[in-house]
Amino acid sequence: MTKLKAKWLHSNHLLAAGAIFLFLAGASLLWVASLRIPALESLQERRLDGSTKIYDRNGKILLYDFSPDVKRNVVPFENISPYLKSATMAIEDKNFYAHRGFELTSYLRAMWVDLTTLSLSQGGSTITQQVVKNSILTKDKTPTRKLKELILALKLEKVLSKDEIFVLYLNEIPYGGTAYGIEEASERFFGKSAFDLTLVESAYLAALPKAPTYYSPYGLHVDQLEARKNLVLREMLSSAFITQEQYDTAINEKVTFKQQGAGDTTIKAPHFVFFVIDQLTEKYGEDAIRNSGWKIITTLDYSIQKDAEVIAKKYGEINQQTFNANNNAMVVIDPKTGEILAMIGSRDYFDPDIGGNFNAATGHRQPGSTFKPFVYSVLFNKGYTDQTILFDAPIQFSTRCAPDNFTTDDHCYSPGNYDDKFRGPMKIRDALAQSINIPAVEASYLAGVENSVRLAEDLGINFVGDTNQYGLSLVLGGGSVSLLDMASAYAVFANDGVRNPYTPVLSIEDGAGNIIDKSIPFPQRVLPEQTSRTITSILSDNVARTPGYGPNSPLYIS
């Protein structure tokens, strides 16, 4: 009796399991059947998500809207350069004309990344899947998105020809800013029709869609854009889309991008805005920044920004006339918080003659004598005082040269001063206040170059290149640093030795007003209070500065 009952229960379990399986299978089939491909006409009208907007610190002045006026000019397949088609396939989907909408290995890889990272961020690996993702599933972030993407890609391949899918893709993808589709991108970047694109121009444009903001030719990663363009050309060569001769010619060809429109009223504080976009894109990715409908509250004080722009333009023109210097830059930071209140990257972002769209505030240049306070800080940390005597006299610092050989070459180092004078014994206070070179090099010798580099890094300086190659000339500006880093490091002196890393963003809100990110100060003491106050005292000491600059120099603030 017991065996009969067990058999009966087992039979019932099997029936229940079978019923559940049939139910789920039927539900899945119904779900698959319910997924529809929209009409071709609706696919050609890109469905934009809510646009992300960037504001000043008060959340009232709109600095930039990602898609206030999306521009697209739809062109037929035959009006697109064959080079562009080949370049796009080479970098996005080499087997586009061979597969039926997806490639199993790429699909499984994307699924695995999504499942293991829970990011749901992996894009469609084929052109067909990207058309589905961009045009049909733009807002769909559910765990079933990948499966929907696969099913709809297979369906789309049955509805449209390969050429129809490809031209839909090329007319729909973002290339940066408000430019969507290859025709608008071609006009925007090169001032020509997509039909007339050259091989190299096509390679550049094919490089952009992966991350249009990051790879923008007007942004901070021009070198990375160049590298990706070269990758596109290599992929074209390996896929036999171009010959070796074409590749050899194209890899070294120089291309000039069309300057962005002057007087563009859709963006305020452009250097700062693109700096913010670059920072957030690196953190959240292109898609989130463009399409999440976020409200980004920055640290920018627009009243300070406007004054800074006026000053930069005025003195930039004076510098041009007096020193033949095309550009200047300005950064304003609140030392107590690290918040960037203003950023000017050139005297005119929209002036192509001066390369105005380059952000000189984040570009790396030799800092000159502005590096001296860092080295003197090391001495003060060691116990030296502002009354310590150094010598402003001819000195040969290289042990490989005779002590009385006051030359500088590959083996010898005997620096001079800007006025070719020697003042003899000097207090550190007077030497720094007047920016005298030779005592500063002595200070570098006493402090140690390695110690000076380490302290500068603690203050916020990010050097370019191998710091082990720096010598005593570092104190005179022998390294390359950015103005933004220098302003941030000097803010430590103004904050009694406490560093607040610079930040351009106060908060980010989603479309419902929920805070999804917020700036949290992280102050760190990197200098003793006494050292910081001594440096600040010297830099503001007009009496100590007067022998070098006069009593009413531009450095004097009454």
Side-chain angles (χ1 to χ4, degrees):
M1 187 69 178
T2 303
K3 290 184 178 180
L4 184 62
K5 184 178 180 181
K7 187 175 181 181
W8 178 78
L9 287 173
H10 180 68
S11 176
N12 281 348
H13 287 160
L14 288 176
L15 286 172
I20 291 171
F21 174 78
L22 290 174
F23 173 79
L24 292 175
S28 298
L29 289 173
L30 287 173
W31 177 73
V32 169
S34 70
L35 297 178
R36 300 295 183 200
I37 294 292
L40 180 59
E41 293 77 12
S42 64
L43 281 176
Q44 290 174 332
E45 293 300 321
R46 187 179 198 275
R47 228 182 66 200
L48 290 173
D49 291 330
S51 65
T52 293
K53 296 177 176 63
I54 299 176
Y55 292 85
D56 73 332
R57 67 185 297 107
N58 297 313
K60 296 179 179 178
I61 297 176
L62 179 64
L63 303 178
Y64 187 65
D65 186 337
F66 267 89
S67 55
D69 185 22
V70 170
K71 297 178 180 178
R72 181 191 290 103
N73 189 356
V74 177
V75 290
F77 194 63
E78 60 271 16
N79 286 4
I80 299 174
S81 166
Y83 289 131
L84 188 280
K85 298 171 189 174
S86 297
T88 302
M89 280 196 296
I91 198 66
E92 295 288 344
D93 188 0
K94 294 184 181 68
N95 300 318
F96 172 68
Y97 280 96
H99 62 63
R100 295 184 178 181
F102 86 107
E103 291 189 297
L104 183 60
T105 54
S106 298
Y107 176 75
L108 292 176
R109 176 194 58 79
M111 283 284 288
W112 174 252
V113 172
D114 276 352
L115 290 171
T116 54
T117 64
L118 298 179
S119 64
L120 306 178
S121 62
Q122 289 296 295
S125 56
T126 70
I127 286 174
T128 309
Q129 285 175 272
Q130 291 186 60
V131 168
V132 168
K133 174 180 177 290
N134 293 332
S135 300
I136 303 172
L137 299 178
T138 304
K139 295 182 179 181
D140 192 335
K141 297 293 184 182
T142 65
T144 59
R145 182 186 68 82
K146 276 291 173 191
L147 187 56
K148 285 184 180 180
E149 186 180 287
L150 169 59
I151 295 166
L152 290 173
L154 294 173
K155 285 190 171 186
L156 189 63
E157 290 266 348
K158 294 181 181 298
V159 174
L160 302 178
S161 69
K162 285 287 189 179
D163 286 355
E164 286 175 324
I165 294 172
F166 200 5
V167 75
L168 190 61
Y169 173 81
L170 293 174
N171 277 317
E172 129 63 49
I173 53 174
Y175 284 91
T178 58
Y180 284 80
I182 188 57
E183 183 70 7
E184 182 63 33
S186 184
E187 290 287 348
R188 175 76 57 87
F189 295 115
F190 299 116
K192 60 172 62 175
S193 167
F195 181 79
D196 297 318
L197 289 169
T198 66
L199 171 57
V200 182
E201 291 168 345
S202 297
Y204 274 116
L205 291 182
L208 288 175
K210 179 182 179 182
T213 302
Y214 182 85
Y215 290 114
S216 170
Y218 310 122
L220 304 176
H221 303 107
V222 176
D223 291 343
Q224 288 84 346
L225 171 62
E226 189 71 17
R228 184 159 172 81
K229 177 266 295 182
N230 291 340
L231 173 62
V232 172
L233 290 172
R234 289 196 299 274
E235 293 295 332
M236 292 179 77
L237 178 64
S238 67
S239 298
F241 291 146
I242 57 175
T243 65
Q244 183 67 50
E245 183 180 357
Q246 287 176 304
Y247 172 83
D248 293 339
T249 301
I251 201 72
N252 296 312
E253 185 177 326
K254 300 298 180 184
V255 168
T256 301
F257 288 89
K258 183 180 174 183
Q259 183 67 22
Q260 288 182 294
D264 185 353
T265 59
T266 64
I267 184 170
K268 295 179 175 67
H271 289 107
F272 175 76
V273 164
F274 288 119
F275 175 74
V276 169
I277 292 172
D278 185 70
Q279 295 274 305
L280 295 182
T281 298
E282 186 173 334
K283 186 174 183 179
Y284 294 106
E286 285 270 345
D287 185 63
I289 297 301
R290 288 183 167 277
N291 300 320
S292 295
W294 289 346
K295 181 179 182 180
I296 299 171
I297 308 298
T298 69
T299 59
L300 189 86
D301 186 318
Y302 194 59
S303 63
I304 297 177
Q305 175 74 20
K306 287 192 296 182
D307 289 342
E309 288 174 356
V310 171
I311 293 170
K313 187 170 183 62
K314 175 184 176 181
Y315 287 97
E317 292 172 353
I318 293 173
N319 289 342
Q320 174 83 61
Q321 296 167 3
T322 308
F323 305 109
N324 194 31
N326 280 337
N327 258 320
N328 57 8
M330 193 182 306
V331 172
V332 182
I333 287 179
D334 183 345
K336 299 295 183 183
T337 61
E339 294 167 7
I340 301 173
L341 303 178
M343 177 185 284
I344 314 294
S346 72
R347 71 175 194 255
D348 186 353
Y349 178 88
F350 298 106
D351 187 346
D353 295 331
I354 63 170
N357 64 339
F358 175 76
N359 191 347
T362 57
H364 285 76
R365 298 287 185 271
Q366 290 191 336
S369 293
T370 58
F371 202 85
K372 290 174 180 174
F374 305 152
V375 173
Y376 282 114
S377 291
V378 177
L379 285 192
F380 295 151
N381 289 346
K382 285 175 173 285
Y384 293 81
T385 74
D386 62 329
Q387 300 300 303
T388 298
I389 300 297
L390 298 176
F391 290 88
D392 181 24
I395 300 174
Q396 177 54 253
F397 286 94
S398 174
T399 58
R400 291 185 292 178
C401 297
D404 58 351
N405 178 2
F406 304 122
T407 60
T408 296
D409 53 34
D410 291 341
H411 303 289
C412 305
Y413 185 56
S414 181
N417 294 314
Y418 65 90
D419 56 3
D420 294 324
K421 295 179 180 179
F422 301 102
R423 295 160 181 80
M426 295 189 76
K427 298 175 183 177
I428 284 181
R429 173 171 288 271
D430 296 326
L432 175 56
Q434 298 169 40
S435 191
I436 308 303
N437 286 347
I438 296 175
V441 178
E442 289 180 63
S444 182
Y445 179 84
L446 294 170
V449 174
E450 185 177 337
N451 293 330
S452 300
V453 168
R454 189 181 305 115
L455 177 63
E457 290 175 334
D458 289 343
L459 295 174
I461 299 296
N462 294 287
F463 292 98
V464 171
D466 184 3
T467 57
N468 292 323
Q469 301 300 314
Y470 292 146
L472 294 176
S473 64
L474 178 66
V475 72
L476 305 182
S480 292
V481 302
S482 74
L483 173 63
L484 177 58
D485 282 354
M486 289 298 289
S488 182
Y490 266 65
V492 175
F493 296 132
N495 198 33
D496 283 343
V498 176
R499 168 165 169 73
N500 287 288
Y502 65 74
T503 179
V505 174
L506 289 177
S507 64
I508 301 176
E509 301 176 11
D510 64 16
N514 301 310
I515 301 294
I516 62 173
D517 199 353
K518 187 175 182 179
S519 174
I520 299 175
F522 188 65
Q524 291 178 291
R525 175 162 295 283
V526 293
L527 272 182
E529 184 178 284
Q530 185 58 44
T531 294
S532 176
R533 291 189 173 187
T534 301
I535 291 291
T536 300
S537 172
I538 294 172
L539 295 181
S540 59
D541 188 341
N542 197 51
V543 174
R545 184 168 55 228
T546 294
Y549 294 94
N552 294 302
S553 72
L555 297 173
Y556 174 63
I557 300 173
S558 61

